[in-house]
Amino acid sequence: QLDPENTGFIGVETFASLVHSHELPLDPAKLDMLVALAQGNDEGQVCYQELVDLISSKRSSSFKRAIANGQRALPRDVLLDETGLGFYKRFVRYVAYEILPCEMDRRWYFYQHRTCPPPVFMAAVTLTQIIVFLCYGARLNKWVLQTYHPEYMKSPLVYHPGHRARAWRFLTYMFMHVGLEQLGFNALLQLMIGVPLEMVHGILRISFLYLAGVLAGSLTVSITDMRAPLVGGSGGVYALCSAHLANVVMNWAGMRCPYKLLRMVLALVCMSSEVGRAVWLRFSPPLPASGPQPSFMAHLAGAIVGISMGLTILRSYEESLQDQCGWWVLLLSYGTFLLFAVFWNIFAYDLLGAQIPP
């Protein structure tokens, strides 16, 4: 009677009045789960099949989803479209629409978000990169193409194949940059994409993803471009960007960020241009230099890490990664790559007789 067109759905208000008027002896916790499920879909309706699964305690995907949603029931007055919000809450709402594809997740994030702890990781990395660049710029009196200065490669932070034994260089190269253009591009993406991602997914997940991209970048260069040094945080930046873009594509219909197609095209154009520029500097440098120019393979390695491992991290908002089989498979694959790269750096250079530049 309530669903004459046999759609399988009725309004949540209609269902609530039905339960109240007939005094149905239903478990209140399951009713809360059903309401939470209804709030999670676009029409705000109760699904008959989800009702059957809940009442029968059937362990279907909808039941598990209802358990997850029911554990975070929202007050009815928490609305993303409410007016009179302050600047910070408007920014939190913007982040929710920008990052999360599910309306239920967006509402829950908007409701439970706290200013503490703040997204300090990406801000601290970006600030450190700027300070290091300014220090070397003042010291070398050079702000563009710093790698062409003969003293630049003597930095203890740069990854250089001749200093592979100094393991910290596989990470610290992310604080050094070729010039203002590379630093500006990386800093802009870290703040525009990295900070919102850290606000939603937390410092542990985003720092792990960023550093995994940085480490994969230097190790990939040590395997595929054995004569090249490496500078810049592009491995971590591309891990974040590719993970976010892949998440948007996978959840295209649910994303509510404005002009998403135009923004994705612009992001891909900018990232492709940066890779093209890095390739050009590697093989056709505009000026003669005392040694080979930094490799571009870190960009590609970071993108691979983002699309594989990063997509799993960003897709599981408020879900424990330890409970996901796919996460352990990716982590094992990454660990295998790290082990292979370590042995490569120990033995392959001598076995292959690689000519390491000064």
Side-chain angles (χ1 to χ4, degrees):
Q1 293 175 352
L2 298 175
D3 182 22
E5 297 181 1
N6 257 343
T7 62
F9 292 86
I10 61 172
V12 65
E13 294 84 3
T14 304
F15 179 77
S17 62
L18 181 68
V19 172
H20 178 72
S21 61
H22 288 270
E23 298 182 355
L24 298 178
L26 300 179
D27 185 349
K30 292 185 178 181
L31 286 178
D32 289 341
M33 295 177 196
L34 195 64
V35 172
L37 276 175
Q39 291 176 344
N41 62 49
D42 295 334
E43 295 81 11
Q45 294 180 320
V46 173
C47 174
Y48 174 76
Q49 189 57 49
E50 289 175 347
L51 170 64
V52 172
D53 291 342
L54 272 177
I55 301 305
S56 63
S57 297
K58 181 181 177 182
R59 295 285 169 174
S60 63
S61 60
S62 63
F63 184 88
K64 295 175 183 177
R65 188 157 54 94
I67 293 292
N69 290 341
Q71 289 174 345
R72 48 191 173 112
L74 298 174
R76 299 220 177 239
D77 57 349
V78 177
L79 300 175
L80 286 178
D81 55 356
E82 63 180 296
T83 57
L85 296 175
F87 173 78
Y88 185 75
K89 290 301 288 185
R90 289 201 304 270
F91 179 66
V92 171
R93 179 172 60 187
Y94 162 80
V95 169
Y97 277 106
E98 185 75 15
I99 303 299
L100 295 170
C102 175
E103 183 67 18
M104 187 68 184
D105 288 343
R106 287 193 285 261
R107 289 174 177 268
W108 177 249
Y109 169 73
F110 181 76
Y111 170 65
Q112 62 86 39
H113 176 76
R114 300 292 182 269
T115 57
C116 186
V120 295
F121 175 76
M122 293 312 308
V125 168
T126 304
L127 181 61
T128 304
Q129 290 172 340
I130 293 174
I131 292 175
V132 170
F133 180 82
L134 292 177
C135 291
Y136 275 92
R139 175 185 170 187
L140 305 177
N141 194 26
K142 192 174 182 62
W143 304 95
V144 179
L145 296 177
Q146 289 185 344
T147 52
Y148 286 81
H149 196 286
E151 295 294 319
Y152 185 82
M153 285 299 166
K154 295 182 180 180
S155 168
L157 302 179
V158 173
Y159 167 77
H160 190 281
H163 295 302
R164 302 185 312 282
R166 302 174 183 177
W168 71 82
R169 290 174 177 260
F170 285 92
L171 284 175
T172 57
Y173 78 91
M174 70 180 184
F175 298 117
M176 305 289 289
H177 286 82
V178 173
L180 275 171
E181 62 285 349
Q182 187 190 27
L183 173 65
F185 179 81
N186 286 347
L188 183 65
L189 288 180
Q190 284 172 180
L191 295 177
M192 289 185 61
I193 296 179
V195 170
L197 287 175
E198 186 179 348
M199 289 177 63
V200 173
H201 297 283
I203 184 174
L204 291 179
R205 293 191 182 197
I206 298 306
S207 60
F208 177 83
L209 177 59
Y210 185 88
L211 294 177
V214 170
L215 186 57
S218 56
L219 291 175
T220 301
V221 169
S222 70
I223 295 173
T224 61
D225 201 357
M226 298 169 65
R227 287 180 48 83
L230 185 62
V231 295
S234 298
V237 171
Y238 275 64
L240 294 178
C241 293
S242 59
H244 176 58
L245 293 180
N247 190 48
V248 172
V249 172
M250 294 288 290
N251 302 279
W252 187 263
M255 299 302 294
R256 292 292 182 266
C257 47
Y259 309 108
K260 54 186 176 183
L261 180 59
L262 176 62
R263 294 165 63 183
M264 174 163 288
V265 170
L266 289 176
L268 291 175
V269 169
C270 291
M271 293 171 67
S272 302
S273 301
E274 173 66 14
V275 173
R277 178 184 174 279
V279 174
W280 172 62
L281 288 177
R282 174 70 179 92
F283 296 111
S284 301
L287 297 172
S290 58
Q293 293 308 297
S295 177
F296 59 91
M297 291 301 297
H299 298 73
L300 305 181
I304 293 174
V305 168
I307 293 174
S308 56
M309 185 181 297
L311 186 58
T312 302
I313 292 177
L314 302 191
R315 190 166 44 191
S316 55
Y317 172 69
E318 279 216 328
E319 184 180 349
S320 177
L321 290 173
Q322 289 85 343
D323 297 335
Q324 300 183 46
C325 179
W327 164 249
W328 289 106
V329 172
L330 291 172
L331 201 59
L332 178 62
S333 302
Y334 187 78
T336 303
F337 164 73
L338 293 184
L339 190 63
F340 169 78
V342 169
F343 278 96
W344 180 277
N345 280 274
I346 294 175
F347 301 109
Y349 279 77
D350 294 334
L351 293 176
L352 297 176
Q355 298 296 320
I356 300 176

